[in-house]
Amino acid sequence: MMVYRGKFGAYCSHCIKNGTREKANHMPSTVLATIDCHPVVLYRAIGSHPTSSVKLPNSQGIVVRSKPVLFRCLIINHNNVRIRNFFSSVHKIARPLKTEFLVPKELIYKNSYRNASGMGRMLGSIGRFLKIRYLVLTGAIGGGVAANQTYESWKQYIPDLEWLKEYIPDERKLSRIAAQFAGAQDLVSRVRIPDAATLKKFTDWLDESRKDISSAFFADGRGVLIDGTGLTAMNADVHVDSGNSLLPSVGINLKRTTESKPDGQSRQDSLSDEIIKIQTKYQKEVDRLEKENKDLRKQLNLMETKTGKKRKMNKSLIDMYSEILDVLSGFDSSYNTQDHLPRVVVVGDQSAGKTSVLEMVARARIFPRGSGEMMTRSPVKVTLSEGPFHIAQFKDSSREFDLTKEEETEALRREVEHRMKKSVSKGQTVSNECISMSVKGPGIQRMVLVDLPGIIATETAVMAKDTKESIKRLVKSYMENPNAIILCIQDGSLDAERSNVTDVVSQIDPSGKRTIFVLTKVDMAESSLYNPNRIKSILEGKLFPMKALGYFAVVTGKGNSNDSIETIRDYENDFFKKSKLLKAGALKHTQVSTQNLSMAVSELFWKMVKENIEQQADAFKATRYNLETEWKNNFPRLRELDREELFEKAKGEILDEVVSLGAVSSKDWESLFYKKLWEKAATYVFENIYVPAAQAGSIGEFNTMVDIKLTEWASHALPKKSVEVGWDALHHEFSRLVEKDTKRGSELDDVFNMLKLSVIESSKSTHHWDHKAEESLRVIQRNILEDRSVHDKHQWDGAIVFMEETLKEQLKLNQDTLNDLTGPGAWEQWYNWKHRTPEHRNRIAAKYELEKLLKPQTNHRPSLSQDEVTTVKHTLQNQGIDVDTEFIKETWYHVFRERFIKKALQQCTDCRKGFYHYQNAIPNSGLDCHEVVLFFRLQRMLQVTSNALRQQVVNNEARRLERIIKDVLEEYGEDTERLKKLLTGRPVELAEELKKVRHIQEKLEEFIEALNREK
């Protein structure tokens, strides 16, 4: 038994108290020990081991030294009473049965459970306090580090506001302003407010002045004084809602005005002068603010350039709308979903000032200019929007033209002229192809304008014959859009009777609900002393046979095409400030200047856009539904792929087939080359080498002639022919793989056929065999053909089989030709109901006579002698058959070939067992097998050449062909017109229309969402 103290911490006293409440139960087998009357913890041995007892000093207990044993913990109170069943009574806090292997040692500790428990509680409290403090300090330090890291990560996204210090006044300035406000308050307090009687007199005077001004402006009673919106009604038949005015404060007159009363003339002049002064002052203030805005935007851009931090700018509304118009311009649907979105269409007679008006609105000279000749040859869509810098850019180009620099502006004009000339077809004067560009700058009103060629009265000699009608058709096609705003330009310096455009406009928009009339060159009209009443009647809509929503008078130049826009604007403002027409009442201040015109047109443009954009979106929704329904009904199992996606799919299939060339086995390649090469060379070898050499008188002569002809053939024609065979076999195999893939039965095969065939043909025309291959083949083939040694019986048998197959093939060809010459036989005549012609009978008679001539001569030469020809001819004449010499020679050629080939076939049969005689060179054996050796040399050459061609294909040519096909496919992918021709069919066209309609609908919905956010 060992003595050991317990370590229960703060629970010791509590445990002992609970334990003493129970009845003590003594256990005789346990020896109790006390040390100085202090309680101790005893461990009772569970197992029995040999022990050695040691007397405890100053105690009644015994310390037992033993080997490591398993003990159970007990607690003893002051009276040395064991606490029985201790763990069951304090199970919630007691430790479980503890088993340890203890090293033998003396374990005697004196301790007081009260002191230990008190110290434990104190140390526990101190520990908990320190723990909380450490947690707080650690949390504070960690939070500070995390906050610092977060700030550093967010710091790069916080904008740099140092530049604002230049514009925020300092404390001294603010104090000075506050003092000035205090002084103003004191001054206001001393102002004397008039009494009610004085105010009554003042209001009466205002009412009287208002009546006088009203009577000065309107005389016939039909007019209405400006109703707070700056507008007056134009006609009784044009309804205008004054509560929702179209153009506030810009002066589109919606009712005709009448002549002023004579008695109010002086007052009217004074008011007009005052209004002009106020307008001039207002314009100067606007110009100043625009300049400041431009400078601020430049500084902001420079700051972004220095820091490298650029703000992400969303697309403006006008840019989004312009993109929609660009997409719609190329849309063509069988469902007649027409483009009815608003845009401003600029029309007028040639040289009426259309382009100049557009340049004044855009504030830059962006169009080419000419003296009296037609410069606008195609429609030009210009998207105007406000921006920090005055720049222009074409839709299909990333280059930006700086319109503040004259050289950049000149480059832009040259580019516009080049694009116009490029768009015009040969033999034509104008083009329907639209050029799209955008212009941005400070103070520019947002809108989309389309500049059209001017209407002409006469066609000159340099124009196409139908130019006049072509221009009218083009202009009408843009004006017939029911939501297009027609900006009708009329030259004010010419007689009204010479106008052509007004008739066209009156036909398209007879009520004038979407037409704005612009009178240009008013300065020239005034200098020419035209009747002011005539100018006035034009701007009131009384002179021309057309109606308009508004009338404007502008000045677009001083006659010098080199003047800048700023110079022209200053000249225009000065002119209207001093204009006699304005002072005489022929013009009104709200009807003059391009600034007022651009504001009015922009306001009308956006009003019509907001009114019609939803309707256009609904129309495309219906179109999309119709197209999707057609697709589901006609192509339910086919995935919807447009032309671009179809091309990518076909491209993948073609490239897969190119890769499949690598899967062709070596045996197949060599067999293909062997077959094609012999097909090309068989006729030449038979006619030019074998037959002539076979006529030799001895074996030596035969071999000599064969060697000479084979060497010449291998040096020139054979290598070139071999390369041609290799090229043809490679493309034949590729075509076969593509055709095999096409026969799988896919629904898209009919769509891909034309494309795949075109790619194959293009690759054939581009692919050329490596020029070094021909020289390599020449060396190999000459060496092989020089070898006349047949090494074994297997090679000998192979050569005989090759020779026999070649002779049989030639015999069949010869017999087929001879049968055609002699006509059908008896069986064929009876079975197929055919008959012989006289020529056929003559050919049979000639053949019979030639066979009689050839029969007794076993070694006849390939050609007939002149005596033999004469003999055959006389014999046939005696039979009543008259034929010429060529007829006899042609028949002889085929008769002799048949006899020669049959004889060679017999020789093949005889030489099947002649390898022993050849190998041992037995003389006088009676076997003549030198022809077998010739065919062995030819067969060996075909095998080696096929192997060489196979290596060239696998190592070089297949990869070169793959690169060429990839280049061809890339070229096709960039040529949209070619793809339209190659990928055709209703599935393709329907998928293309669906893609465009979805794209347009998405653009429209995006624009409508942005428009609603702006509202």
Side-chain angles (χ1 to χ4, degrees):
M1 182 177 304
M2 273 191 182
V3 182
Y4 189 68
R5 72 181 176 88
K7 295 181 180 180
F8 289 91
Y11 298 103
C12 291
S13 61
H14 178 72
C15 296
I16 294 172
K17 288 178 182 180
N18 292 336
T20 55
R21 291 192 188 101
E22 298 182 1
K23 184 178 180 180
N25 185 10
H26 297 278
M27 299 178 64
S29 62
T30 304
V31 180
L32 304 179
T34 59
I35 302 174
D36 296 335
C37 297
H38 292 287
V40 296
V41 178
L42 300 182
Y43 280 86
R44 179 182 179 185
I46 297 176
S48 59
H49 299 276
T51 60
S52 60
S53 301
V54 178
K55 180 68 177 178
L56 295 175
N58 301 323
S59 67
Q60 299 176 0
I62 299 175
V63 174
V64 181
R65 287 186 178 274
S66 65
K67 295 181 181 179
V69 293
L70 192 62
F71 293 94
R72 185 187 300 267
C73 179
L74 299 175
I75 297 179
I76 308 299
N77 61 6
H78 281 283
N79 298 322
N80 295 335
V81 179
R82 291 190 300 265
I83 301 174
R84 182 174 176 269
N85 199 15
F86 170 73
F87 289 102
S88 62
S89 62
V90 292
H91 63 278
K92 294 183 179 179
I93 58 174
R95 295 180 180 176
L97 180 64
K98 192 172 184 182
T99 59
E100 295 178 347
F101 288 98
L102 302 177
V103 179
K105 59 183 178 180
E106 186 175 327
L107 298 173
I108 301 177
Y109 299 92
K110 297 197 310 182
N111 202 348
S112 172
Y113 77 92
R114 293 185 179 274
N115 294 337
S117 63
M119 290 181 64
R121 285 195 297 273
M122 180 179 67
L123 292 175
S125 301
I126 294 173
R128 284 194 297 276
F129 173 74
L130 292 176
K131 182 178 180 181
I132 295 173
R133 183 182 64 181
Y134 291 152
L135 288 175
V136 172
L137 291 177
T138 305
I141 295 171
V145 174
N148 183 54
Q149 293 177 351
T150 304
Y151 171 74
E152 291 296 332
S153 63
W154 287 0
K155 187 177 180 181
Q156 57 180 338
Y157 302 105
I158 300 176
D160 187 8
L161 301 178
E162 293 293 331
W163 60 277
L164 289 176
K165 294 181 179 179
E166 301 179 6
Y167 304 97
I168 300 176
D170 55 11
E171 186 177 356
R172 290 180 299 175
K173 291 183 180 180
L174 292 174
S175 301
R176 194 181 305 114
I177 293 172
Q180 291 176 358
F181 273 108
Q185 183 179 5
D186 181 61
L187 181 63
V188 170
S189 64
R190 289 182 292 175
V191 174
R192 184 173 62 85
I193 300 175
D195 54 7
T198 305
L199 291 175
K200 183 66 171 58
K201 291 180 182 180
F202 183 70
T203 55
D204 294 341
W205 178 80
L206 285 178
D207 293 340
E208 183 180 357
S209 300
R210 183 175 60 82
K211 294 178 181 178
D212 293 340
I213 293 173
S214 178
S215 61
F217 270 93
F218 307 102
D220 58 355
R222 292 170 55 194
V224 179
L225 186 63
I226 297 176
D227 57 357
T229 64
L231 302 179
T232 56
M234 179 186 70
N235 257 326
D237 56 349
V238 180
H239 175 70
V240 178
D241 183 5
S242 61
N244 186 15
S245 176
L246 174 63
L247 303 172
S249 72
V250 295
I252 289 185
N253 297 322
L254 302 180
K255 280 195 175 181
R256 296 192 181 119
T257 58
T258 57
E259 297 181 359
S260 59
K261 294 182 179 180
D263 56 354
Q265 186 64 40
S266 60
R267 185 170 296 179
Q268 181 180 354
D269 293 342
S270 63
L271 288 174
S272 299
D273 293 339
E274 189 68 22
I275 290 172
I276 292 174
K277 291 179 181 179
I278 294 173
Q279 185 180 10
T280 304
K281 184 178 180 181
Y282 164 75
Q283 186 62 42
K284 289 182 179 179
E285 185 67 17
V286 170
D287 294 340
R288 184 185 67 80
L289 292 175
E290 287 179 355
K291 184 177 180 181
E292 290 181 0
N293 183 36
K294 183 177 181 180
D295 294 339
L296 288 174
R297 289 183 180 275
K298 283 185 177 179
Q299 293 178 9
L300 180 61
N301 186 65
L302 290 174
M303 182 189 68
E304 291 176 349
T305 304
K306 290 180 180 179
T307 59
K309 303 175 183 177
K310 292 189 177 182
R311 295 177 297 173
K312 185 178 180 181
M313 304 294 291
N314 294 326
K315 288 184 179 179
S316 63
L317 277 176
I318 192 63
D319 290 335
M320 296 169 64
Y321 187 77
S322 179
E323 288 183 2
I324 294 173
L325 294 181
D326 290 335
V327 175
L328 286 174
S329 64
F331 178 70
D332 182 19
S333 174
S334 59
Y335 290 91
N336 297 322
T337 306
Q338 297 178 0
D339 173 17
H340 288 165
L341 290 178
R343 72 261 284 160
V344 181
V345 180
V346 185
V347 298
D349 296 334
Q350 183 181 350
S351 302
K354 300 185 289 64
T355 302
S356 299
V357 170
L358 203 155
E359 288 180 337
M360 289 292 290
V361 175
R363 302 188 179 185
R365 291 191 173 276
I366 58 178
F367 293 104
R369 315 188 71 82
S371 56
E373 61 176 322
M374 178 185 292
M375 298 304 297
T376 306
R377 297 179 177 271
S378 65
V380 181
K381 181 174 75 68
V382 183
T383 303
L384 301 178
S385 61
E386 187 175 9
F389 302 103
H390 204 183
I391 58 174
Q393 184 179 6
F394 290 98
K395 182 191 73 170
D396 56 353
S397 173
S398 60
R399 178 183 177 182
E400 293 183 348
F401 296 87
D402 188 355
L403 300 180
T404 60
K405 299 179 181 179
E406 182 57 32
E407 59 272 14
E408 291 280 321
T409 308
E410 178 64 26
L412 174 64
R413 290 196 291 266
R414 289 196 301 268
E415 181 65 19
V416 171
E417 185 176 6
H418 171 71
R419 288 175 178 249
M420 285 184 179
K421 292 181 178 179
K422 184 179 179 181
S423 66
V424 177
S425 302
K426 186 176 181 180
Q428 299 295 322
T429 306
V430 294
S431 169
N432 294 337
E433 183 178 345
C434 184
I435 300 173
S436 181
M437 63 185 299
S438 62
V439 177
K440 298 181 180 180
I444 296 179
Q445 298 296 322
R446 303 179 303 169
M447 68 185 93
V448 177
L449 300 99
V450 181
D451 187 23
L452 297 173
I455 298 175
I456 60 175
T458 306
E459 296 172 353
T460 62
V462 296
M463 295 181 180
K465 292 182 179 181
D466 61 341
T467 301
K468 180 178 178 180
E469 294 301 323
S470 297
I471 294 176
K472 282 188 177 181
R473 286 195 300 269
L474 177 62
V475 171
K476 287 183 178 180
S477 67
Y478 277 86
M479 291 195 301
E480 284 173 353
N481 178 359
N483 296 318
I485 302 171
I486 303 173
L487 199 62
C488 180
I489 310 298
Q490 174 61 38
D491 190 348
S493 64
L494 299 179
D495 296 333
E497 291 76 11
R498 298 169 60 182
S499 175
N500 296 308
V501 68
T502 53
D503 293 336
V504 179
V505 173
S506 62
Q507 295 174 7
I508 302 298
D509 185 26
S511 61
K513 293 183 178 179
R514 53 187 179 91
T515 301
I516 296 178
F517 183 88
V518 182
L519 188 67
T520 61
K521 305 178 184 180
V522 183
D523 55 337
M524 298 177 63
E526 181 176 314
S527 64
S528 300
L529 299 178
Y530 279 11
N531 185 2
N533 293 328
R534 188 175 179 84
I535 300 292
K536 182 178 180 181
S537 63
I538 292 175
L539 295 178
E540 290 178 351
K542 297 179 180 179
L543 186 61
F544 289 108
M546 58 168 287
K547 298 177 183 179
L549 191 63
Y551 295 83
F552 286 88
V554 298
V555 175
T556 57
K558 299 188 296 182
N560 186 1
S561 60
N562 296 324
D563 289 338
S564 64
I565 296 297
E566 289 75 13
T567 303
I568 297 174
R569 289 182 64 186
D570 294 339
Y571 171 73
E572 183 185 38
N573 293 332
D574 293 340
F575 168 76
F576 285 120
K577 183 178 179 181
K578 303 174 183 178
S579 174
K580 297 178 182 178
L581 295 172
L582 193 62
K583 293 181 179 180
L587 301 176
K588 297 179 176 59
H589 69 279
T590 55
Q591 289 182 300
V592 299
S593 80
T594 52
Q595 178 69 17
N596 287 338
L597 171 65
S598 61
M599 292 174 63
V601 175
S602 177
E603 190 76 17
L604 179 60
F605 170 77
W606 283 107
K607 179 179 182 295
M608 297 189 71
V609 167
K610 293 173 184 178
E611 290 176 351
N612 295 280
I613 192 68
E614 295 280 356
Q615 182 181 358
Q616 192 74 17
D618 293 340
F620 276 97
K621 284 182 181 179
T623 302
R624 175 178 177 177
Y625 175 78
N626 293 336
L627 293 174
E628 289 177 346
T629 303
E630 182 182 354
W631 183 275
K632 290 178 182 178
N633 292 334
N634 297 330
F635 312 105
R637 298 182 180 179
L638 194 61
R639 190 160 64 96
E640 184 183 317
L641 299 174
D642 57 33
R643 185 171 282 110
E644 183 178 350
E645 293 170 334
L646 285 172
F647 173 72
E648 291 298 326
K649 182 177 177 62
K651 178 180 177 181
E653 291 183 3
I654 294 172
L655 292 178
D656 288 343
E657 300 307 329
V658 176
V659 175
S660 298
L661 288 174
V664 179
S665 65
S666 300
K667 181 179 180 181
D668 293 337
W669 276 123
E670 292 183 9
S671 176
L672 179 62
F673 291 136
Y674 185 97
K675 179 181 177 182
K676 284 190 170 292
L677 183 58
W678 184 239
E679 286 178 356
K680 295 286 185 180
T683 303
Y684 177 84
V685 170
F686 190 80
E687 298 292 339
N688 297 286
I689 299 178
Y690 175 53
V691 174
Q695 309 304 320
S698 62
I699 297 176
E701 186 179 351
F702 175 87
N703 291 333
T704 301
M705 187 177 296
V706 166
D707 290 342
I708 293 173
K709 289 185 177 293
L710 288 178
T711 302
E712 181 182 2
W713 184 44
S715 300
H716 299 91
L718 181 57
K720 186 176 181 180
K721 185 65 68 175
S722 300
V723 169
E724 292 177 1
V725 167
W727 181 91
D728 183 65
L730 175 61
H731 286 278
H732 175 270
E733 186 66 16
F734 175 64
S735 301
R736 186 187 66 81
L737 292 173
V738 173
E739 184 178 356
K740 179 181 178 182
D741 181 71
T742 304
K743 291 180 179 179
R744 293 178 184 174
S746 174
E747 296 183 7
L748 294 175
D749 287 341
D750 295 337
V751 177
F752 292 157
N753 282 343
M754 291 181 61
L755 175 64
K756 291 182 177 180
L757 291 176
S758 179
V759 170
I760 291 173
E761 293 301 323
S762 298
S763 62
K764 283 183 177 181
S765 61
T766 309
H767 176 234
H768 301 286
W769 208 271
D770 188 3
H771 64 280
K772 297 179 181 179
E774 186 175 335
E775 184 62 30
S776 175
L777 288 173
R778 179 179 290 107
V779 175
I780 294 173
Q781 289 167 346
R782 288 187 63 177
N783 293 334
I784 291 298
L785 290 175
E786 288 177 358
D787 185 11
R788 292 186 292 180
S789 301
V790 182
H791 301 288
D792 53 29
K793 183 69 166 57
H794 177 71
Q795 292 180 346
W796 181 268
D797 293 339
I800 291 178
V801 172
F802 174 62
M803 177 179 176
E804 190 174 24
E805 290 176 352
T806 303
L807 292 174
K808 287 181 178 180
E809 183 178 354
Q810 293 295 325
L811 178 61
K812 185 177 182 306
L813 293 174
N814 188 79
Q815 288 179 344
D816 292 340
T817 306
L818 195 58
N819 290 334
D820 292 337
L821 294 175
T822 58
W827 168 256
E828 193 175 359
Q829 291 181 48
W830 179 82
Y831 186 77
N832 294 327
W833 291 86
K834 294 182 178 180
H835 63 279
R836 291 172 177 171
T837 62
E839 183 179 357
H840 290 160
R841 297 186 182 93
N842 295 341
R843 189 77 66 178
I844 293 174
K847 177 187 174 185
Y848 178 73
E849 293 298 328
L850 291 172
E851 287 176 348
K852 287 197 314 180
L853 179 64
L854 190 59
K855 188 174 183 180
Q857 303 180 25
T858 56
N859 294 321
H860 198 286
R861 298 185 62 83
S863 58
L864 288 171
S865 64
Q866 186 62 34
D867 294 338
E868 292 174 333
V869 172
T870 304
T871 302
V872 173
K873 190 174 183 180
H874 285 308
T875 304
L876 293 175
Q877 287 178 352
N878 293 333
Q879 298 175 7
I881 300 173
D882 189 10
V883 294
D884 56 7
T885 305
E886 291 299 326
F887 186 88
I888 296 173
K889 288 183 177 181
E890 183 182 4
T891 307
W892 165 256
Y893 175 84
H894 296 287
V895 171
F896 177 79
R897 288 294 184 275
E898 183 177 8
R899 170 78 175 273
F900 174 79
I901 295 171
K902 289 180 178 180
K903 182 180 177 182
L905 285 171
Q906 183 61 39
Q907 188 175 0
C908 286
T909 305
D910 297 340
C911 292
R912 286 185 181 276
K913 299 179 181 180
F915 176 71
Y916 176 79
H917 298 275
Y918 165 80
Q919 190 178 28
N920 296 283
I922 300 176
N924 302 322
S925 62
L927 288 175
D928 187 7
C929 297
H930 53 278
E931 296 177 0
V932 177
V933 178
L934 169 62
F935 279 90
F936 166 75
R937 296 164 69 181
L938 292 172
Q939 186 184 36
R940 183 63 179 158
M941 181 274 299
L942 291 174
Q943 293 172 349
V944 174
T945 303
S946 299
N947 181 269
L949 290 174
R950 190 263 306 168
Q951 292 180 3
Q952 292 177 7
V953 166
V954 173
N955 297 333
N956 298 320
E957 299 305 325
R959 297 177 183 176
R960 183 181 287 113
L961 179 61
E962 182 178 359
R963 290 195 298 269
I964 289 173
I965 291 176
K966 286 183 179 179
D967 294 340
V968 170
L969 290 172
E970 291 295 331
E971 181 183 352
Y972 279 23
E974 297 174 358
D975 192 348
T976 55
E977 294 299 325
R978 177 178 291 180
L979 289 181
K980 287 181 180 180
K981 296 178 181 178
L982 297 177
L983 294 174
T984 59
R986 186 53 188 166
V988 184
E989 303 299 332
L990 188 57
E992 280 290 308
E993 289 189 12
L994 270 170
K995 177 185 177 182
K996 292 179 181 178
V997 169
R998 289 194 184 106
H999 181 60
I1000 294 171
Q1001 186 182 355
E1002 290 173 1
K1003 290 285 185 183
L1004 287 171
E1005 291 176 353
E1006 181 184 1
F1007 176 75
I1008 291 172
E1009 183 180 355
L1011 189 64
N1012 293 332
R1013 285 199 304 267
E1014 186 178 81
K1015 290 179 182 179

